[in-house]
Amino acid sequence: MKISKRQALRFVAAAGLGSALGIENATAKPGNMKEWMDAWTGVRAREPHGGLFVFRFKDPMWVLQKPISWSADDPALKIASVQVPAGFVTDFASIPSAFYTLLRPDGEYTYPAIVHDYLYWVQSRSREESDNIMRLMMIEFQVPSAQIAAIYAAVRTFGQGPWNENKKLQARGERRFLKELPSDPRTTWKAWKQKSNVFADESLK
């Protein structure tokens, strides 16, 4: 589902999130993040694992060069850990592109966004759980609370479009796990994905 920048701005205004995104000359205060997290979720902090190392194609597509993961400390949450393998290709599409001028795709929430993109691609759990994992991770990364609210509201409102689009792409044979990266930084993802021998076995992911 594509949305325009005008629709995005209307959504921000309707949701009362202008100040959160710096649109109305207001600044969001994160406050005591641990207290805010406990009040919102009632659970302990969670843990990410693995530094973020990415390769960028000439076009705006990124590839994980080392695996990353996240797990919930509190077993009461009953949320299985997430492991994103090296070679996963992400375009941050689970955050609608119309919001990029307000929420750039390489912000403080990049690590959670990549995990979220992975969950939206493999679709091994529900969209609701995938969105909630991103929200919990943003809390852990101490993203300002108002920005968390804005991003979470955006993916809950508009995320069904990217979710459905991923299903269509996979049905058409799109693959998102690489075993080989180009050595030329001028290479585009569009060109590289035409090479069938550069992909890992997606059934193992």
Side-chain angles (χ1 to χ4, degrees), residues 107-167:
E108 296 171 270
Y109 35 79
T110 297
Y111 196 111
I114 291 175
V115 172
H116 190 245
D117 268 13
Y118 171 77
L119 292 171
Y120 263 48
W121 181 256
V122 297
Q123 298 188 3
S124 57
R125 21 190 127 187
S126 69
R127 189 170 74 84
E128 181 179 9
E129 182 177 342
S130 300
D131 293 345
N132 191 42
I133 287 172
M134 184 182 188
R135 177 176 67 86
L136 293 171
M137 290 185 71
M138 288 191 293
I139 293 171
E140 182 187 70
F141 273 80
Q142 298 187 353
V143 175
S145 58
Q147 278 198 3
I148 294 174
I151 295 171
Y152 181 70
V155 296
R156 291 307 301 150
T157 302
F158 300 109
Q160 191 64 51
W163 182 273
N164 293 342
E165 180 63 19
N166 281 346
K167 283 186 177 180

Side-chain angles (χ1 to χ4, degrees), residues 29-60:
K29 300 290 186 183
N32 185 317
M33 187 61 66
K34 184 180 184 304
E35 290 180 4
W36 181 76
M37 180 184 74
D38 291 345
W40 193 5
T41 67
V43 296
R44 298 193 303 273
R46 278 139 290 272
E47 293 292 337
H49 305 280
L52 194 56
F53 296 86
V54 295
F55 170 90
R56 187 188 189 278
F57 285 97
K58 182 180 178 182
D59 39 357

